[in-house]
Short mmCIF file of all heavy atoms in Angstrom, two decimals:
data_model
loop_
_atom_site.label_atom_id
_atom_site.label_comp_id
_atom_site.label_asym_id
_atom_site.label_seq_id
_atom_site.Cartn_x
_atom_site.Cartn_y
_atom_site.Cartn_z
N LEU A 11 111.44 15.53 -116.21
CA LEU A 11 112.59 15.71 -115.28
C LEU A 11 112.21 15.68 -113.90
O LEU A 11 111.68 16.62 -113.37
CB LEU A 11 113.42 17.00 -115.68
CG LEU A 11 114.74 17.20 -115.03
CD1 LEU A 11 115.66 16.14 -115.17
CD2 LEU A 11 115.32 18.62 -115.59
N LEU A 74 95.58 -1.48 -70.23
CA LEU A 74 96.80 -1.83 -70.84
C LEU A 74 97.95 -1.04 -70.24
O LEU A 74 97.78 -0.08 -69.49
CB LEU A 74 96.74 -1.47 -72.41
CG LEU A 74 95.53 -2.01 -73.14
CD1 LEU A 74 95.40 -1.33 -74.48
CD2 LEU A 74 95.76 -3.48 -73.40
N GLY A 126 123.86 12.41 -118.15
CA GLY A 126 125.10 11.72 -118.43
C GLY A 126 125.55 11.77 -119.81
O GLY A 126 125.64 12.94 -120.38
N LEU A 163 115.36 9.56 -90.55
CA LEU A 163 116.26 8.54 -90.52
C LEU A 163 116.66 8.07 -89.08
O LEU A 163 117.37 7.14 -88.94
CB LEU A 163 117.61 9.10 -91.16
CG LEU A 163 117.53 9.40 -92.71
CD1 LEU A 163 118.84 10.03 -93.19
CD2 LEU A 163 117.25 8.20 -93.55
N GLU A 198 107.09 29.27 -82.74
CA GLU A 198 106.39 29.75 -83.93
C GLU A 198 106.39 31.20 -83.96
O GLU A 198 106.01 31.91 -82.97
CB GLU A 198 104.94 29.17 -83.99
CG GLU A 198 104.05 29.77 -85.07
CD GLU A 198 104.67 29.62 -86.46
OE1 GLU A 198 104.96 28.55 -86.92
OE2 GLU A 198 104.75 30.71 -87.14
N GLU A 278 111.61 31.76 -116.74
CA GLU A 278 111.42 32.70 -115.73
C GLU A 278 111.10 32.05 -114.35
O GLU A 278 110.34 31.09 -114.32
CB GLU A 278 110.29 33.68 -116.05
CG GLU A 278 110.47 34.57 -117.24
CD GLU A 278 109.41 35.43 -117.55
OE1 GLU A 278 108.29 35.31 -116.95
OE2 GLU A 278 109.61 36.35 -118.51
N ALA A 299 106.15 23.18 -116.04
CA ALA A 299 106.60 22.90 -114.71
C ALA A 299 105.41 22.54 -113.81
O ALA A 299 104.38 23.12 -113.93
CB ALA A 299 107.31 24.15 -114.19
N GLY A 375 78.25 16.12 -80.29
CA GLY A 375 76.93 15.70 -80.72
C GLY A 375 77.00 14.45 -81.58
O GLY A 375 75.91 14.00 -81.92
N LEU A 382 85.10 7.43 -79.82
CA LEU A 382 86.49 7.59 -80.02
C LEU A 382 87.16 8.48 -79.04
O LEU A 382 88.37 8.47 -78.81
CB LEU A 382 86.79 8.16 -81.47
CG LEU A 382 86.48 7.39 -82.66
CD1 LEU A 382 86.68 8.12 -83.94
CD2 LEU A 382 87.31 6.10 -82.74
N GLU A 410 89.76 11.62 -92.81
CA GLU A 410 89.12 10.64 -93.61
C GLU A 410 87.78 11.22 -94.21
O GLU A 410 87.09 10.70 -95.03
CB GLU A 410 88.74 9.37 -92.87
CG GLU A 410 89.91 8.70 -92.31
CD GLU A 410 90.97 8.26 -93.33
OE1 GLU A 410 90.54 7.88 -94.48
OE2 GLU A 410 92.16 8.39 -93.06
N ASP A 427 71.57 20.96 -101.02
CA ASP A 427 71.78 19.74 -101.83
C ASP A 427 72.20 18.52 -100.98
O ASP A 427 71.80 17.47 -101.19
CB ASP A 427 72.81 20.04 -102.87
CG ASP A 427 72.45 21.07 -103.91
OD1 ASP A 427 71.21 21.19 -104.19
OD2 ASP A 427 73.33 21.84 -104.32
N MET A 447 72.88 20.37 -92.82
CA MET A 447 71.43 20.57 -92.40
C MET A 447 71.17 21.83 -91.68
O MET A 447 70.19 22.50 -91.93
CB MET A 447 70.93 19.34 -91.61
CG MET A 447 70.71 18.04 -92.41
SD MET A 447 69.80 16.78 -91.52
CE MET A 447 71.20 16.14 -90.55
N ALA A 450 71.32 24.71 -93.96
CA ALA A 450 70.17 24.72 -94.76
C ALA A 450 68.87 25.12 -94.05
O ALA A 450 67.79 25.21 -94.61
CB ALA A 450 69.90 23.30 -95.45
#
Side-chain angles (χ1 to χ4, degrees):
L11 185 54
L74 305 168
L163 296 175
E198 170 56 54
E278 294 180 353
L382 295 174
E410 304 302 324
D427 297 327
M447 285 192 283

